[in-house]
């Protein structure tokens, strides 16, 4: 998977196509393809197999995205947002880059954990929907399929999160919504500015149930 990463992006058209082709895409903008920063970028690209990495040294591309050389930018489709990491200001290495990407890679469905929590807090989307469920359950793959399908319908409006009830770090979240493990799976929706919330205990996770629950809360 990591062979040929990062992909060279030589013009604006290629770069736009590359970014729009993925839920999360990372582009390194560099003046020199062989600079120490670019080689740290390649190291990071090799560590994160499931995120596509692109690299551009084309001045027209850099100016199109309004970035200076030695900038790593993460583009997210879920909230049409981007995050820039300036490599000039502090000695950013592959380690810091990897952490930056892990923190900010929000997807159509983002698995909630202490690392992604940071990106979730900083998202421009103020409505968060949580599917709180046992990820080890045999029903889990089917639940996730329906949940992802529903997430497509609310792209740019609601941030869909998956909370695995087995994770110790998620116990607080489960109890925050006054849920017991025996009541799961459940949906919880949360509006960050005023903490307004609603909870729905589910017998099954279906696209219709999720859609109705979200629409009801939006109204």
């Amino acid at each position: 998977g990591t062979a040929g990463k990062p992909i060279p992006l030589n013009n604006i058209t290629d770069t736009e196509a590359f970014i729009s082709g993925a839920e999360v895409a990372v582009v390194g903008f560099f003046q020199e393809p062989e600079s120490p920063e670019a080689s740290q970028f390649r190291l990071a690209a090799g560590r994160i197999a499931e995120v596509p990495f692109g690299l551009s040294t084309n001045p027209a591309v850099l100016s199109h995205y309004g970035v200076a050389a030695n900038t790593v930018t993460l583009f997210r489709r879920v909230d049409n947002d981007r995050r820039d990491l300036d490599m000039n200001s502090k000695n950013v290495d592959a380690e810091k880059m990897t952490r930056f990407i892990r923190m900010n890679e929000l997807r159509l469905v983002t698995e909630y954990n202490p690392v992604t929590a940071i990106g979730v807090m900083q998202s421009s989307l103020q409505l968060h929907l949580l599917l709180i469920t046992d990820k080890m359950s045999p029903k889990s793959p089917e639940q996730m399929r329906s949940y992802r399908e529903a997430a497509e319908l609310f792209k740019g409006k609601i941030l869909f999160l998956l909370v695995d009830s087995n994770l110790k770090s998620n116990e607080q979240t489960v109890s925050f919504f006054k849920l017991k493990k025996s009541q799961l799976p459940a949906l919880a929706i949360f509006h960050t500015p005023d903490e307004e919330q609603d909870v729905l205990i589910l017998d099954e996770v279906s696209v219709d149930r999720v859609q109705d629950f979200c629409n009801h809360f939006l109204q």
Side-chain angles (χ1 to χ4, degrees), residues 50-193:
E50 70 283 16
V51 176
F53 280 67
L55 191 154
S56 189
T57 54
N58 179 321
V61 174
L62 271 69
S63 105
H64 179 76
Y65 288 99
V67 288
N70 297 337
T71 303
V72 174
T73 302
L74 178 140
F75 296 89
R76 312 194 283 231
R77 205 194 314 170
V78 63
D79 54 3
N80 263 326
D81 210 343
R82 62 181 260 190
R83 290 278 180 266
D84 292 353
L85 178 66
D86 178 359
M87 296 184 67
N88 295 314
S89 57
K90 34 199 180 295
N91 23 0
V92 175
D93 55 8
E95 197 66 48
K96 285 185 183 154
M97 243 179 282
T98 304
R99 185 170 161 70
F100 165 78
I101 292 159
R102 288 293 183 221
M103 246 164 54
N104 289 293
E105 55 165 343
L106 300 182
R107 298 169 176 274
L108 277 175
V109 173
T110 300
E111 188 158 339
Y112 189 80
N113 59 45
V115 177
T116 57
I118 299 164
V120 168
M121 297 303 172
Q122 295 172 345
S123 170
S124 57
L125 296 178
Q126 298 185 325
L127 269 176
H128 298 169
L129 180 71
L130 293 75
L131 171 60
I132 305 170
T133 187
D134 171 4
K135 213 178 141 188
M136 304 307 285
S137 146
K139 288 183 178 166
S140 184
E142 190 48 57
Q143 288 177 354
M144 279 308 292
R145 240 192 321 276
S146 301
Y147 195 55
R148 272 191 70 88
E149 210 176 304
E152 283 280 3
L153 306 170
F154 294 96
K155 203 164 59 203
K157 289 197 192 108
I158 299 175
L159 191 58
F160 275 56
L161 302 167
L162 171 71
V163 178
D164 182 4
S165 55
N166 295 313
L167 277 190
K168 196 125 187 67
S169 57
N170 286 336
E171 282 173 5
Q172 233 178 329
T173 309
V174 179
S175 59
F176 175 81
F177 290 106
K178 300 181 174 52
L179 287 163
K180 296 187 188 69
K181 275 196 170 178
S182 58
Q183 296 173 300
L184 303 177
L187 288 175
I189 198 162
F190 186 74
H191 185 237
T192 49

